């Protein structure tokens, strides 16, 4: 009788191993919800949402449909290289594989202090590497200034640093051009995300970080949300924009799969080997 029940027992053990490998992952949404009154860059029109249908229709069915009006660079959004680089990838030309990679969250809140236009330095990036190791190839870096956590819900004036429709009056942290160039020259990075309105500091009117990153096919994500939930390492980030033909950018659903055994999409090699070995053992025992 014991022999008859052995395959059942082995199947149960294998099922438990698979759940152990897969069940500890969790999803983190890094996207702000598009809604009326969200902060937008002073160049751009406000986001507008209009209800077209919401209710019972004459044909005897219920229907909801809406119209939206906004610039491509609204809410949590991607800047395609063509945004600042003529002849570079437009949105629909970005390879899908370029929009996912190992997540790196670099927390610079303590560096900012009272400097609302703090520029993240090369030394800040290297400081993260001293603690967590080299930034992995193909990484998606998220720079956490704390700006979104503090000011997003307080309206445009708090988040942008000014209530005026004047880009020269903005105040928010960004990336120092020397740090941007260091990444281009020394690391293979696919994407850099910011929890601010821009990759550049708010007081910049020449946008040097944009002009360094985008021509080198380093995608920019702006207005990233909920970075307080993202660990420094151990995630895979996905940035999925609306696929706008010829677009220079697009609102995007950005999220991370958190699993400290996952450095890219899917199972790591040790977990996969464990499952395969268990399957082989199960077959051998059953025979």
């Amino acid at each position: 009788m014991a022999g008859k029940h052995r395959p059942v027992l082995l199947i149960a053990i294998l099922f438990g191993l698979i759940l152990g490998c897969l069940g500890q992952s969790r999803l983190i949404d890094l996207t702000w919800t598009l809604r009326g009154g969200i902060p937008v860059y002073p160049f751009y029109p406000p986001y507008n949402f209009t209800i077209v249908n919401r209710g019972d229709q004459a044909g005897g069915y219920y229907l909801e449909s809406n119209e939206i009006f906004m610039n491509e660079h609204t809410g949590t959004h991607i800047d395609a290289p063509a945004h600042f680089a003529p002849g570079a990838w437009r949105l629909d030309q970005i390879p899908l594989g370029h929009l996912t990679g190992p997540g790196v969250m670099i927390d610079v809140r303590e560096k900012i202090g009272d400097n609302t236009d703090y520029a993240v330095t090369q030394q800040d990036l290297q400081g993260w590497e001293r603690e967590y190791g080299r930034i992995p190839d193909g990484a998606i870096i998220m720079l956490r200034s704390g700006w979104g956590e503090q000011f997003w819900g307080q309206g445009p004036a708090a988040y942008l640093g000014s209530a005026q429709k004047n880009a020269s009056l903005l105040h928010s942290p960004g990336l120092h051009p020397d740090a941007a160039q260091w990444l281009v020259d020394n690391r293979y990075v696919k994407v850099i995300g910011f929890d601010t309105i821009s990759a550049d500091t708010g007081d910049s009117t020449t946008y040097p970080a944009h002009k360094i990153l985008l021509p080198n096919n380093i995608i920019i994500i702006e207005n990233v949300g909920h970075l307080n939930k993202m660990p420094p390492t151990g995630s895979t980030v996905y940035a999925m924009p609306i696929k706008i033909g010829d677009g220079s950018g697009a609102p995007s659903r950005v999220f991370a799969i958190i699993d400290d055994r996952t450095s890219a999409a899917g199972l790591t090699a040790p977990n996969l080997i464990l499952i395969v070995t268990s399957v082989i053992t199960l077959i051998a025992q059953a025979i």
Side-chain angles (χ1 to χ4, degrees):
M1 183 65 69
K4 292 181 180 179
H5 290 291
R6 181 178 294 172
V8 176
L9 177 60
L10 289 172
I11 290 172
I13 293 172
L14 176 58
F15 187 65
L17 287 171
I18 293 173
L19 288 179
C21 291
L22 299 178
Q24 297 181 27
S25 298
R26 58 192 176 96
L27 287 170
I28 301 296
D29 192 353
L30 302 176
T31 312
W32 293 114
T33 300
L34 288 169
R35 63 178 186 270
I38 63 171
V40 295
Y41 208 75
F43 296 160
Y44 303 138
Y47 171 80
N48 189 61
F49 177 91
T50 303
I51 297 173
V52 178
N53 293 290
R54 185 169 292 183
D56 295 326
Q57 306 298 304
Y61 57 91
Y62 179 85
L63 177 66
E64 289 194 12
S65 67
N66 313 290
E67 292 178 348
I68 57 175
F69 177 81
M70 61 181 170
N71 185 271
E72 301 167 308
H73 302 271
T74 300
T76 304
H77 69 274
I78 277 177
D79 286 357
H83 187 39
F84 270 76
W89 288 337
R90 292 196 171 101
L91 186 77
D92 56 319
Q93 296 172 320
I94 301 172
L96 192 59
H98 205 78
L99 298 172
T100 182
V104 168
M105 193 282 291
I106 300 178
D107 190 338
V108 296
R109 290 175 299 161
E110 292 185 359
K111 303 281 187 176
I112 292 172
D114 296 327
N115 184 359
T116 57
D117 295 302
Y118 181 79
V120 177
T121 67
Q122 172 185 330
Q123 290 71 32
D124 294 334
L125 304 177
Q126 291 171 327
W128 184 93
E129 288 193 327
R130 282 192 294 272
E131 185 170 358
Y132 298 103
R134 182 184 172 95
I135 293 170
D137 285 348
I140 295 184
I141 296 175
M142 295 293 182
L143 294 179
R144 182 187 178 192
S145 71
W147 225 245
E149 298 157 38
Q150 296 177 67
F151 302 124
W152 180 265
Q154 297 181 30
Y159 186 67
L160 302 177
S162 172
Q164 305 298 314
K165 294 283 286 184
N166 184 338
S168 66
L169 300 178
L170 301 186
H171 295 285
S172 58
L175 183 65
H176 195 285
D178 290 347
Q181 192 64 54
W182 180 80
L183 287 170
V184 168
D185 294 339
N186 297 281
R187 299 292 182 269
Y188 168 42
V189 174
K190 292 180 180 177
V191 178
I192 303 181
F194 300 82
D195 62 352
T196 56
I197 195 70
S198 176
D200 286 284
T201 57
D203 60 353
S204 172
T205 56
T206 57
Y207 313 106
H210 280 79
K211 292 189 290 189
I212 293 169
L213 297 172
L214 293 176
N216 287 284
N217 289 334
I218 298 179
I219 309 302
I220 291 171
I221 311 176
E222 293 164 333
N223 300 321
V224 177
H226 314 299
L227 287 180
N228 58 311
K229 298 180 180 180
M230 182 176 175
T233 64
S235 70
T236 302
V237 176
Y238 297 81
M240 300 291 108
I242 302 171
K243 194 175 182 181
I244 301 173
D246 284 340
S248 71
S252 305
R253 191 64 180 264
V254 183
F255 61 94
I257 297 177
I258 311 299
D259 184 341
D260 60 8
R261 295 164 300 188
T262 306
S263 58
L267 291 172
T268 55
N271 287 332
L272 185 58
I273 291 170
L274 176 61
I275 292 175
V276 171
T277 302
S278 299
V279 169
I280 294 172
T281 301
L282 172 61
I283 294 171
Q285 293 283 352
I287 292 174

